[in-house]
Amino acid sequence: MSELFPLTEEIWLDWLKDEIKMASESSEREKVYELFERAVKDYICPEIWLEYAQYSIGGIGQEGGIEKVRSIFERALTAVGLHVTKGTALWEAYREFENAILETAQPAPGSVPSPEQQQMLCSQLEKIHTLFRRQLGIPLLDMEASYAEYEEWSEDPIPETILKNYKKALQQLEKCKPYEEALLGAETPKLAEYQAYIDFEMKAGDPARIQLIYERALAENCLVPDLWARYNQYLDRQLKVKELVLSAHDRAVRNCPWTVGLWIRYLLAMERHRVDHGIISEMFEKALNAGFIQATDYVEIWQAYLDYLRRRVDFTQDSSKELEELRSAFARAVEYLKQEVEERFSESGDPSCTIMQNWARVEARLCNNMQKARELWDNIMTKGNAKYANMWLEYYNLERAHGDTQHCRKALHRAVQCTSDYPEHVCEVLLTLERIEGTLEDWDAAVQKTENRLARVNEQRAKAAEKEAALAKQEEEKAEQRKQARAEKKASKKAKKPRIGDKRKADDDDEGEWGQEEEAEQPSKRHKGDGDGVLLEEDMEVETGLFGRSGPEKPDRPANQKEKASTSRKDIPKVLHDSSKDNVTVFVSNLSYNMADPEVKLKELFESCGEVAEIRPVFSNKGTFRGYCYVEFKEEKSALQALGLDRKVVEGRPMFVSPCVDKNKNPDFKVFRYSTTLEKHKLFISGLPFSCTKEELEDVCKAHGNVKDIRLVTNRAGKPKGLAYVEYENEAQASQAVLKMDGLTVKEHVIKVAISNPPLRKLPDKPEAGRASQFAVPRQIYGARGKGRTQLSMMPRALQRQSNPVAKAENGMVQNSPATSSEPPEEPKKMSNADFAKMLLKK
């Protein structure tokens, strides 16, 4: 395991203690020493260094044993002696060792020491004095106790310089204490606290302390690529010590092998410190096998390696071993992206063929091999790039700089013929070339070719515009027909002259999925329950306030339906929605249409969040529940807490709970709470059996890391779709899970696992109303019986804009034209439904 990945301090200590127990002979002790050397290279580990030094004391009887112990202690102090909280233990252990040596050097009681013994005693005393003085100049916890111990131990007064250094260290310790206390009280991973500490040390500018705090941060955040990148950048630019720099880079790619940027920095550091070419090539091969998560990562690592190989070539020579190696690497890179990367990611990661373009530039500019460059560009154009003007102009510029006019002209003629995005630009470049260097015949040919091409382009654009205009005209004609049909129906209904207070019977053939006509003309009835979108209770209330229709059912309706609708109307009082209560109201949808007594059921459910002021379920005109409602609380915090019930399963369906938001005032509000961009710490799993539960999937995933959340994707009825999103604690765990789980069999189903990167959704021409907006107009969705002939607008024509003379479907509703007309204002102020209601009620 340690050959592939760094081990934590705890694992190393367990391993070392096991090996120490079994090591009895000197040869076995040497193996333990080698193991200690490997252990101290992974992370900064004060405990391992202390264990290493104490273990070395056991070999003091061997030749050179004392000097070896001192060497290990000195290395330990260099590595972790500045550690504010753990450095003191090492200093004290070192002093105890030297004190033990001093005791053995003392002469026997009553005897007179020889000059050699006296010299040894003085030398040993000086070593202990030096250790005290070095420690007192470093800001460490409990340094006051160390100072008191030194005063007691020393027979002579403490020198003024040592006292001055001690006071300076105390002042430095006071500055460090807030950062140490923040680390002590913070929860893992403590990134913000460590970053603040790093910034503090960077301002102080002590390289040793900066290195130490970076190492401490990395010991607890070893899987954070950005932290490694910042540390390595500091080492590259400031310290520039070869062994230190290369060791840090090596540890970075061992901890975060999936991060291409760390590998690129490692290759550059190796080149900068003149590492052998064979070692650099071997490291590049390791990078290719690291398992990057994006196709573009492979393009970047190949480009970095090719740049390195290009810098090795002496282009003053016609041919060399290095040049052949560069060409071979270019060819291998192109083949690798085509085979390996495209097979894994279904894309090469290099659609513009940047590697081949760089190869062509090297051949043309550095090798004077324009023929090879042309072959490469011909290959580039055959990969779907011939339709782009910028690709042709890139080749033209290369040919212009290193080729000849004949090939430039040929390239531009082909470009005029093939370019589809900006043909005018290519035509202009061709005419410019012929104006400067062409003959009359060349000019005439260029003019004729460009004119013909532009004529075809304009013809194609005109046809497209005509087609678009024809479609728009058809839509206008359809809208006009619908407008006339509505006007005729309205006139025929007016001719019936119904008695005031009576309800008019709805035409069942004309009812759409949303029941818009019946809800507009019979506002006292509740909405029909065959749709799953948002139909606004406040729109119904506005019409009620305007027309005042709340009469009894017509006598030809069945008695049980009459009683049901009447009862449902009496149970819930009709009140206009107050937009000032949006902050204490939530919108609940996707409920079962068969829910009995939704007010009672939902009140029991939401009372756990706080005191419920009112529950307004939405019913159809027949009194059936439509599956959504508004829940109003007494306090805002209750509404916020209620959002936590989103996706809770109620009677077999996931209940949607979202805030009440006026989209006219908040057009950017989005209800969808999950990210639609690349999330490197989250996996997308497909192919799961429908019977797979969240607990079963967690058992499979937790073997590869700490699972923070699992979301099984379901349809609106709560049935699983065989898809899931699994969120890990960090990118490293997610990357390892992809490698281990992709292609795994779960309940006889082979699953596919990838990093979560949802494709961009194609937005409709006109936005649809979201379920979270109680002010939005419902979408135009036709039911099983087709499109209804009567769909009324909630906006009076007098308030419609002048710029919309023909009724069109907008936001899902077809606007109606009343029989009477008036001149609308040019730019009326946008108003919500509640504003319309208040204005009309005042009138």
Side-chain angles (χ1 to χ4, degrees), residues 553 556-568 622-623:
E553 294 281 358
D556 59 348
R557 174 171 288 204
N560 58 346
Q561 292 186 10
K562 174 181 176 181
E563 293 175 0
K564 181 178 180 181
S566 176
T567 302
S568 64
K622 297 179 181 179

Side-chain angles (χ1 to χ4, degrees), residues 683-694 697 710-715 718-726 749-754 759:
L683 305 184
F684 173 70
I685 303 178
S686 58
L688 289 168
F690 292 158
S691 61
C692 182
T693 64
K694 184 176 180 179
L697 182 59
I710 292 180
R711 176 165 64 93
L712 295 177
V713 182
T714 61
N715 58 20
K719 303 298 181 181
K721 300 175 70 174
L723 309 174
Y725 289 91
V726 180
H749 285 68
V750 179
I751 63 173
K752 293 182 179 180
V753 184

